[in-house]
Amino acid sequence: MGGGPQLGFSGVREHAQYFLSRGADAANKGDYKVARLQFENALKVTGDLPAMRSHALLCLGDVAFDQSQYKTAEQFYNRSMKGLQKVGITDTRLIIAKGRFSKARISQDLGYPQHAHSLAEDALGAFEELQQYDLAAIGYNLFGVLAWQQGDKRKGLNYINKSIKIKEQNNMTRGVAASKMLRALITARAQGQNPFCTSSSLDDLRNARGTYEAGDVNGLAKTSYVFGRVFECTPLHQNQAVGWYAKTLELCDKHHFLKGKAVALQGLARTAQYDFFGEERPLSASEYHSEAVKIFKKLGCNPAHIPKTPSSLDKILETFV
């Protein structure tokens, strides 16, 4: 057997799964160098397992995507899909759908919403037919973001509500919390001229935070960030945004979530003027921004795509920790 004759079929699968799991853990913490190495190790041992090989390529594409290296990401996604031409129909459809969905995310990030919508629509159809409800729910989240970016906030919220319904029906508690964070953000951005935060946004965030308080530090960091975003886009409440970004920074720094730390620093750079720290403010706005840029560059993010504005930062909510 190519790639690992002494392990046997099941041994090769377990070996590859080990590397994929290690890579996923590293990617979640923003350690893309380690993540890439582990996914490459998985790729090396999957010679006779085309589906797992394609999954490893998909993971390598996701690492490149998170670093805003879109051409590299697309190359991995294309290799993932092409490698499945001679595999069984179910495996082929699912991973091709994942590849198309990943390419849709690239199109969204680059500002091509119509192309992103077309790719995501194809992928969503396959996810639903194959009863991959978690992926279908993520697909509806993307549709919600696309609709919102094109100015149709009502349609965007309808898509996100559909995602929440799917997750609730399938007992995806943390998935529900994630979609509620997204709904809170879109609702707050839609109500940006209101001098008071909308109660629905804050209720969604409190609900989400309650889900994560059992020990999910990633979730707590994300909800802290979204609390900051909600308060930042609401007049008269920007001072509270600084406090939430500081909390996000503290969590991400303590648990080594590098990308989350960079995003929190960007939030503090935008809101430092609201004087949460008074005369004891640790850094100036420009210093916060410089520290964030250093981390993005350390992570290997494409300098041309380092997030600079709230709208571009919101795009990486899904993966920043």
Side-chain angles (χ1 to χ4, degrees), residues 173-185:
T173 307
R174 292 182 179 178
V176 171
S179 289
K180 285 187 175 181
M181 281 195 288
L182 185 57
R183 184 170 68 183
L185 182 58

Side-chain angles (χ1 to χ4, degrees), residues 43 50 53-62 64 69-85 92 95-104 106-107 115 119:
L43 196 61
R53 181 176 180 82
S54 290
H55 181 61
L57 288 166
L58 203 62
C59 291
L60 285 166
D62 287 342
Q69 296 174 356
Y70 299 122
K71 288 185 179 179
T72 301
E74 189 164 12
Q75 289 171 356
F76 279 123
Y77 295 146
N78 285 335
R79 284 177 61 190
S80 173
M81 290 185 283
K82 289 178 180 177
L84 287 170
Q85 291 176 351
T92 301
I95 297 185
I96 286 178
K98 288 181 179 179
R100 284 178 177 162
F101 185 76
S102 298
K103 291 174 74 171
I106 292 177
S107 294
H115 187 235
L119 287 167

Side-chain angles (χ1 to χ4, degrees), residues 24-32 62 65-68 105 109 178 181-182 185 205 209 212 216-229 244-253 255-267 270 295-296 299 301 307 310 312-321:
D25 287 342
N28 283 337
K29 292 183 177 180
D31 193 343
Y32 298 120
D62 287 342
F65 174 85
D66 284 346
Q67 295 177 291
S68 300
R105 292 170 62 209
D109 247 32
M181 281 195 288
L182 185 57
L185 182 58
L205 289 177
R209 194 167 183 81
Y212 295 128
D216 187 335
V217 181
N218 281 1
L220 289 174
K222 282 188 178 183
T223 50
S224 296
Y225 172 74
V226 181
F227 264 116
R229 287 294 298 117
W244 282 106
Y245 288 142
K247 188 181 293 290
T248 306
L249 179 61
E250 180 183 357
L251 283 167
C252 292
D253 194 30
H255 296 279
H256 309 293
F257 300 146
L258 292 180
K259 198 165 187 178
K261 182 178 178 180
V263 171
L265 286 166
Q266 289 283 52
R270 295 193 308 274
I295 295 174
F296 281 122
L299 291 172
C301 294
S312 60
L313 282 168
D314 293 339
K315 294 179 183 179
I316 58 173
L317 261 179
E318 184 180 332
T319 57
F320 86 90
V321 291

